Amino acid sequence: MNKKVILLTGASSGIGYETAEFLAKQGHIVYGAARRVDQMESLKQFGVKPIHLDVTSQESIDEAVAFIVKAEGRIDVLVNNAGYGSYGAIEDVSIEEARKQFDVNIFGVAMLTKKVLPHMREQHSGTIINVASIGGRLTTYFGAWYHATKYALEAFSDALRMETKDFGIQVSIIEPGGIKTPWGFIAADHLIESAKGGAYEKQATKTALGMRKQYEGNMMSKPIVIAKAISRAVKSRRPKTRYTVGFMAKPLVWLHAWLPTRWFDVIMKNASL
Ligand code: NDP
């Protein structure tokens, strides 16, 4: 097996945690990055190396990348996975929170990518895997800012692939559907909190409770399905540009492409997610 040096963000929970474990078990050298380093202690048993990283801090990014390059001499794969869903009506969500959403989900990706690219260019090899969402292809009720970041990440990744191809760098986008992680609860909390006492409270609360119910249930896919898709991209010499996987991912993208927009709006408004 071709052993690779991998930097993976958002490794303290959900998809990132599962992916760090899966890739380490395959023999790769995995640096699992997140702010909550304590949450990654248990990953050490699989050989994962936890590293502190706040993707919104340039200083933190500089330190993390320098540490890995010093220790390993290279970074073969960057998995930009850290992210959260800042749900809430546009009227309710402060511009400050909207900026924070962009800072984590898109500018964090950009800052880390810019830091890693010179090393990959020098090696004339590397793979960058960006965990977007089917939420970068369609929009759910009360998810304006989240989707704005994921649509942006889709465009960013496509541009990055064209720019870096000649330097031997591959770029893939992972588009998960519904995956059973704390993500849904965090998004629902934001939605309830932002709507309190406002004009959208009734609908927002109903939607948030629906989201919680979905993420508590067993319909969602397990994070391992995304870990496996990421692993396929890591292994491949010519990875797919997009991996659309997980609960309802393909049917929803297909419906969005073919249904009249207002019909799709009705489905989303009643789907609670
Ligand atoms: P989780 O909430 O389980 O994990 C989110 C991860 O992001 C955590 O490890 C968290 O680490 C990290 N993170 C958040 N903010 C920062 C920050 N400022 N700096 C560094 N790390 C940060 O959610 P998922 O595993 O589900 O989400 C992973 C990715 O998958 C996200 O980009 C999400 O948008 C995407 N996704 C998820 C779907 C789902 O249904 N679950 C569907 C589609 C896409 P810490 O707080 O310790 O820093």
Side-chain angles (χ1 to χ4, degrees):
M1 199 223 37
N2 193 355
K3 191 168 163 176
K4 295 187 170 157
V5 177
I6 301 173
L7 168 55
L8 163 75
T9 69
S12 61
S13 174
I15 292 170
Y17 186 99
E18 191 77 30
T19 306
E21 176 181 335
F22 193 73
L23 294 174
K25 280 180 175 168
Q26 292 186 324
H28 297 294
I29 300 170
V30 181
Y31 284 83
R35 292 167 304 178
R36 290 169 298 165
V37 183
D38 52 315
Q39 297 270 109
M40 299 185 286
E41 261 306 298
S42 49
L43 281 172
K44 282 185 180 167
Q45 63 186 303
F46 310 111
V48 175
K49 299 166 192 278
I51 185 168
H52 179 267
L53 178 67
D54 179 347
V55 296
T56 65
S57 155
Q58 187 67 58
E59 198 188 342
S60 175
I61 286 173
D62 292 351
E63 272 176 24
V65 172
F67 180 82
I68 300 170
V69 171
K70 189 164 180 244
E72 311 294 341
R74 57 192 295 119
I75 296 178
D76 298 309
V77 181
L78 168 63
V79 185
N80 285 306
N81 164 71
Y84 74 103
S86 184
Y87 271 61
I90 293 167
E91 207 180 327
D92 288 338
V93 176
S94 70
I95 291 299
E96 195 190 359
E97 170 55 29
R99 286 206 170 100
K100 202 174 139 208
Q101 173 77 129
F102 267 85
D103 278 341
V104 174
N105 288 13
I106 187 82
F107 292 116
V109 173
M111 281 154 71
L112 192 52
T113 300
K114 280 162 79 73
K115 196 72 202 172
V116 168
L117 272 178
H119 301 287
M120 290 186 169
R121 270 195 300 103
E122 214 170 286
Q123 296 160 201
H124 205 80
S125 71
T127 303
I128 298 176
I129 300 168
N130 291 335
V131 180
S133 169
I134 55 161
R137 309 277 298 277
L138 54 91
T139 303
T140 59
Y141 197 23
F142 291 123
W145 292 114
Y146 178 68
H147 293 289
T149 65
K150 294 298 186 181
Y151 269 72
L153 185 54
E154 293 270 342
F156 176 91
S157 307
D158 285 336
L160 183 68
R161 183 171 41 254
M162 290 188 268
E163 291 172 21
T164 57
K165 186 173 183 285
D166 296 344
F167 297 104
I169 298 165
Q170 306 279 353
V171 178
S172 281
I173 306 169
I174 308 288
E175 298 174 331
I179 310 296
K180 199 169 160 62
T181 73
W183 183 94
F185 300 101
I186 295 168
D189 289 350
H190 273 90
L191 182 49
I192 285 180
E193 202 48 47
S194 64
K196 262 184 193 154
Y200 304 85
E201 187 169 20
K202 197 167 153 227
Q203 278 312 312
T205 306
K206 188 169 164 250
T207 303
L209 295 180
M211 282 170 92
R212 276 191 192 150
K213 213 167 147 195
Q214 283 204 346
Y215 276 82
E216 273 160 7
N218 288 319
M219 273 191 321
M220 300 275 160
S221 300
K222 296 204 169 88
I224 189 70
V225 305
I226 306 300
K228 285 182 176 166
I230 292 174
S231 162
R232 285 201 292 279
V234 167
K235 255 189 266 172
S236 173
R237 282 186 53 222
R238 197 168 180 272
K240 283 164 62 171
T241 55
R242 284 177 169 76
Y243 295 80
T244 309
V245 272
F247 178 66
M248 287 300 279
K250 285 203 171 90
L252 278 178
V253 169
W254 187 87
L255 277 177
H256 182 257
W258 291 102
L259 283 183
T261 305
R262 285 185 209 284
W263 291 20
F264 195 78
D265 288 353
V266 172
I267 295 176
M268 286 296 104
K269 277 192 79 167
N270 292 292
S272 308
L273 175 80

